[in-house]
């Protein structure tokens, strides 16, 4: 069991490290960065032909997803960000799943889900699932009302899916636009009151 624990810890650390070190990026024109401030754009590296490079680091990702008014840029960066360390981590993930299953069975559990949750409040995956289903049902009316409000006046670059859902690469931008329009809240303006050096 100890050997399995150590092996799993090493595999998980390697998995996380590959994501951290992923230097994937996309390259876009200045026009494709519409909505982003000039001071932010000025910090971006450029390709020899003058395209701006957007990396998959958290600060760049969140700034672009919240503020870029070009849907194709948001979509490209969303896909690059969510595919970090793929396919490099594919085999690692398979090994982690196999070793977790092996560990759980050695400890007398049905599977890793039962093993992992046993010491937590819910104790079983079934109780956790029942709680989530119950919570989802109770919050459905509120969720539908908020969704209707959020999608009532969509920004120009946001289009719902054919079944009326928000594309994942549009959600942060839509939410941020809603805050600015309805509550006069601009996260970038708020951030100016908390410069890194003074805040730390």
């Amino acid at each position: 069991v100890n050997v399995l624990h150590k092996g799993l810890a090493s595999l998980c650390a390697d998995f996380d490290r590959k994501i951290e070190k992923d230097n994937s990026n996309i390259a876009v024109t200045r026009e494709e960065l519409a909505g982003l401030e000039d001071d932010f754009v000025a910090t971006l590296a450029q390709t020899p032909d003058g395209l701006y490079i957007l990396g998959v680091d958290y600060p760049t990702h969140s700034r672009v997803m919240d503020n870029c008014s070009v849907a194709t840029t948001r979509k490209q960066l969303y896909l690059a960000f969510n595919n970090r360390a793929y396919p490099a981590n594919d085999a690692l993930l398979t090994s982690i799943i196999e070793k977790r299953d092996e560990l759980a069975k050695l400890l007398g559990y049905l599977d890793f889900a039962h093993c992992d949750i046993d010491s937590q409040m819910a104790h079983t995956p079934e109780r956790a699932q029942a709680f989530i289903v119950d919570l989802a049902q109770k919050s459905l009316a509120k969720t539908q009302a908020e969704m209707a409000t959020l999608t009532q006046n969509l920004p120009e670059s946001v289009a719902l899916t054919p079944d009326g859902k928000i594309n994942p690469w549009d959600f942060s931008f839509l939410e941020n636009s809603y805050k600015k329009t309805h509550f006069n809240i601009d996260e970038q303006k708020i951030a100016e009151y908390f410069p890194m050096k003074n805040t730390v």
Side-chain angles (χ1 to χ4, degrees), residues 86-105:
Y86 179 82
N89 265 346
D90 203 28
L92 264 177
L93 183 58
T94 301
S95 294
I96 289 168
I97 291 168
E98 287 171 354
K99 288 194 180 300
R100 282 178 171 177
D101 189 58
E102 185 183 346
L103 176 66
K105 289 187 170 134

Side-chain angles (χ1 to χ4, degrees), residues 105-156:
K105 289 187 170 134
L106 268 175
L107 294 172
Y109 292 95
L110 179 65
D111 51 39
F112 185 72
H114 284 83
C115 173
D116 189 49
I117 205 170
D118 185 46
S119 61
Q120 299 175 46
M121 189 184 293
H123 292 298
T124 69
E126 293 78 16
R127 284 184 68 189
Q129 181 66 24
F131 173 78
I132 291 167
V133 169
D134 182 54
L135 186 63
Q137 288 171 345
K138 288 178 178 173
S139 59
L140 185 60
K142 178 71 172 162
T143 302
Q144 289 172 334
E146 288 186 357
M147 177 72 172
T149 302
L150 194 60
T151 58
Q152 194 169 19
N153 295 301
L154 292 173
E156 192 178 319

